[in-house]
Amino acid sequence: MREELEELKKQCKDDVSYIEAVKKLESDSIKIEAIAEMKTEYSKAFIINSLKSDENKIKTINLLKNDLEKTIVIKGIKSDEIKIQMLDALQSEKIKSYVIEQFINDDNYKIEGLNKLSNDYYIASVIISLSSDENKINKIEELDLLNKVEEYTRTKIIESFNSDEIKIKMLNILKFDSLKCDVIASFNNDENKIKMLDILKENKHKMQVIMSLKEDKNKIKVLNCLTESEKTEVIIGFKDDASKIETLDGLSKKYKIVVAISLKDEKKKIEILKEFIESKDINIDLGLPPKMTLGIEIEAEYISEDEDLGDLLYNQKLMEWNFKCDWSLENGIEVVSPIMHNNEKDLKKIPIIASLLNAMEFSITNSCGGHVHIGADYLESTDDFMELLELWENAEKIFYLISNKPGELPREGIDKYAAPISSKIEKNKIKKDEFVEEIKKI
């Protein structure tokens, strides 16, 4: 056997190819001989896993030092009965419970595996993984488990049942609404969830259950137990536009706008939003060259202690404008335009966005800023960029002066978000041949 392994080594270019070659050998005895000279525990585990005889796997698993590698071997065993026998090779109860949960399919063998455990938490984890509700109940009662584990684990046990009826019967053993809410949200049947809403005291828990309902029509049935802000949060999560539109008549203006913006159909959005857009015939011409692109960001805050309107708009989209979170604002929103050109089609959307923000009662506060971006592609040469740097260097002080009223301190955070840069521009150190490509990446 030794000679055969030595010859195999000569034929292999490295350790990895040698391990693969050993795995393909027909003889278990030669493989077992090779295990002793493997350098890593993983290598040993993969060779043991390739043994044809389960009996040989049982004999050799203790050649491995670590439980993690032993699980590789146990996972490769087909028989649940043999997997249970191999649990004795593991030291950690945590890993034993993981093997029983993940690698053993038959409930009867899982239950047998419980005899290898003493920790109530790990016993609970295995019972949760049982497929039969009857088996779960029998073991829970036999071990008096619900009285031994803490509240969170108790909740997870109840959630694991397939039957809503069993879950309902066990709800009264939970103390906290937040955990009762988790169990109710795990019900299979929407009607059962709706029936249990009244046992929850706080709206946030009711909302969690309502959002877990499978059908939008069922969510609509119970919306009236929520505040308008909570209703809106549920509605914007509806699957289809028709259900969202059905709820609009019950909402005030600002929340109608939020729901309309959340629609998938862009034409339907605009149709609904028309009544909230101020109809002004504004002719916008920025005087920019046709090839120049621009983008703008509008920041606004919603002043309220009770409503988080900004949160409801995050990640919504309208006319390719994105509503984003801005952590520098209090309950605020940043609306980011797509790439635009100096034409009526693009620029007429600016007052539309502004009028909708007004209609939703957003305000421009001292914390808000407006950003204008000019496309770097318009500047085609190093000289163009150098000229821009020159202009900014000469005009930067003027920009800062016109951004504040006389005698007024600059807005808070200016050093972090809009610090002066002209003193840092070292044009003499710029490598002109690399400059254009690098600046465009920025």
Side-chain angles (χ1 to χ4, degrees):
M1 288 190 288
R2 170 57 48 194
E3 292 79 10
E4 188 173 344
L5 289 172
E6 290 299 328
E7 183 60 31
L8 197 61
K9 275 184 184 178
K10 290 176 185 177
Q11 295 171 14
C12 298
K13 59 182 180 180
D14 54 31
D15 289 346
V16 174
S17 57
Y18 176 61
I19 293 165
E20 289 299 319
V22 171
K23 283 169 64 179
K24 292 175 183 176
L25 293 172
E26 289 295 320
S27 167
D28 275 3
S29 57
I30 297 175
K31 289 181 181 180
I32 293 169
E33 178 81 16
I35 290 168
E37 61 187 34
M38 291 293 168
K39 294 177 182 177
T40 69
E41 292 290 294
Y42 273 113
S43 302
K44 292 177 184 179
F46 286 125
I47 298 302
I48 296 172
N49 208 27
S50 73
L51 296 174
K52 289 185 167 56
S53 160
D54 285 345
E55 185 179 346
N56 285 333
K57 290 179 182 179
I58 294 170
K59 288 177 181 177
T60 54
I61 192 170
N62 283 318
L63 294 175
L64 299 171
K65 296 175 184 176
N66 302 322
D67 280 358
L68 188 60
E69 285 77 21
K70 289 175 184 178
T71 61
I72 295 172
V73 177
I74 296 172
K75 184 179 180 182
I77 299 286
K78 292 180 181 177
S79 163
D80 282 352
E81 183 178 5
I82 294 174
K83 288 175 186 173
I84 288 293
Q85 292 175 35
M86 297 179 87
L87 287 176
D88 291 332
L90 301 173
Q91 302 300 314
S92 163
E93 275 213 26
K94 180 179 181 181
I95 295 180
K96 283 182 184 179
S97 70
Y98 176 79
V99 168
I100 298 168
E101 293 167 47
Q102 300 297 322
F103 302 155
I104 295 176
N105 299 308
D106 189 292
D107 271 9
N108 292 323
Y109 285 113
K110 287 188 176 187
I111 291 167
E112 186 179 334
L114 288 174
N115 297 323
K116 311 282 185 180
L117 305 173
S118 59
N119 182 289
D120 289 332
Y121 175 79
Y122 297 131
I123 289 170
S125 295
V126 171
I127 289 174
I128 286 168
S129 75
L130 297 176
S131 57
S132 160
D133 282 355
E134 183 181 357
N135 287 335
K136 287 181 187 179
I137 289 174
N138 288 341
K139 291 310 294 183
I140 288 167
E141 290 178 351
E142 178 188 328
L143 300 170
D144 193 25
L145 192 61
L146 292 178
N147 290 320
K148 292 179 180 178
V149 295
E150 44 79 39
E151 187 87 344
Y152 178 77
T153 304
R154 198 176 295 141
T155 305
K156 290 300 169 188
I157 292 171
I158 299 170
E159 281 182 35
S160 74
F161 283 98
N162 302 305
S163 163
D164 287 354
E165 286 70 25
I166 294 174
K167 294 179 184 180
I168 290 169
K169 287 176 184 176
M170 290 188 167
L171 268 178
N172 63 350
I173 69 172
L174 297 176
K175 297 175 185 176
F176 305 109
D177 261 18
S178 58
L179 298 178
K180 289 179 182 178
C181 165
D182 290 342
V183 172
I184 296 168
S186 75
F187 287 0
N188 297 304
N189 183 281
D190 276 2
E191 289 302 321
N192 287 333
K193 293 181 182 182
I194 291 169
K195 286 175 187 174
M196 301 309 295
L197 277 176
D198 287 341
I199 75 167
L200 300 173
K201 299 179 184 70
E202 295 186 50
N203 274 14
K204 64 180 179 180
H205 298 136
K206 291 181 180 181
M207 186 168 74
Q208 183 181 328
V209 172
I210 292 169
M211 291 178 87
S212 76
L213 296 173
K214 297 180 181 73
E215 300 291 336
D216 288 347
K217 64 181 180 181
N218 290 332
K219 294 176 185 176
I220 291 171
K221 287 179 189 176
V222 289
L223 280 177
N224 286 335
C225 69
L226 303 175
T227 67
E228 194 170 28
S229 176
E230 291 164 344
K231 281 184 192 177
T232 305
E233 187 172 348
V234 173
I235 293 166
I236 60 179
F238 283 2
K239 296 171 188 172
D240 64 87
D241 284 357
S243 297
K244 293 181 180 182
I245 292 167
E246 186 182 334
T247 66
L248 288 177
D249 287 342
L251 298 174
S252 62
K253 179 168 70 173
K254 59 189 172 189
Y255 290 112
K256 277 185 182 178
I257 295 171
V258 172
V259 171
I261 290 172
S262 77
L263 298 176
K264 296 178 184 125
D265 187 325
E266 194 70 22
K267 287 183 180 177
K268 186 62 71 175
K269 284 187 193 186
I270 301 300
E271 183 183 320
I272 294 169
L273 291 171
K274 274 181 183 176
E275 65 172 295
F276 308 113
I277 298 168
E278 295 177 18
S279 55
K280 292 183 180 178
D281 189 17
I282 302 173
N283 181 26
I284 302 176
D285 184 356
L286 302 178
L288 299 176
K291 289 184 179 179
M292 182 177 282
T293 58
L294 73 151
I296 68 169
E297 298 169 13
I298 302 171
E299 294 179 4
E301 288 186 325
Y302 185 75
I303 311 302
S304 170
E305 293 181 2
D306 304 317
E307 300 171 299
D308 295 324
L309 206 61
D311 287 351
L312 297 176
L313 287 165
Y314 292 163
N315 300 319
Q316 303 292 355
K317 205 167 187 177
L318 175 65
M319 303 180 301
E320 297 184 353
W321 286 61
N322 290 299
F323 291 79
K324 295 187 174 182
C325 171
D326 188 318
W327 296 111
S328 69
L329 303 174
E330 185 81 23
N331 195 6
I333 198 76
E334 181 178 60
V335 196
V336 181
S337 78
I339 295 173
M340 301 190 296
H341 292 81
N342 184 35
N343 60 43
E344 184 182 359
K345 179 187 171 186
D346 288 346
L347 300 182
K348 72 178 183 180
K349 294 174 184 175
I350 300 173
I352 290 175
I353 295 294
S355 65
L356 288 174
L357 288 172
N358 280 332
M360 288 186 284
E361 301 173 19
F362 278 91
S363 304
I364 306 301
T365 66
N366 290 334
S367 300
C368 299
H371 309 146
V372 179
H373 303 270
I374 301 297
D377 287 346
Y378 182 72
L379 304 174
E380 296 177 346
S381 68
T382 305
D383 288 340
D384 289 340
F385 279 98
M386 297 301 287
E387 186 176 351
L388 174 63
L389 293 176
E390 188 78 37
L391 287 168
W392 180 258
E393 190 174 27
N394 292 323
E396 185 179 69
K397 188 174 180 181
I398 297 169
F399 275 102
Y400 277 88
L401 288 170
I402 65 175
S403 297
N404 296 281
K405 294 176 182 177
E408 190 179 75
L409 291 172
R411 62 181 277 205
E412 188 178 345
I414 195 168
D415 290 339
K416 182 177 180 181
Y417 297 107
I421 62 167
S422 59
S423 61
K424 299 175 184 176
I425 299 172
E426 300 179 75
K427 295 190 293 298
N428 60 319
K429 292 185 180 179
I430 293 173
K431 295 178 181 178
K432 293 192 175 186
D433 55 338
E434 301 174 5
F435 181 70
V436 173
E437 289 308 312
E438 287 302 313
I439 203 72
K440 284 186 179 182
K441 287 178 189 175
I442 296 169

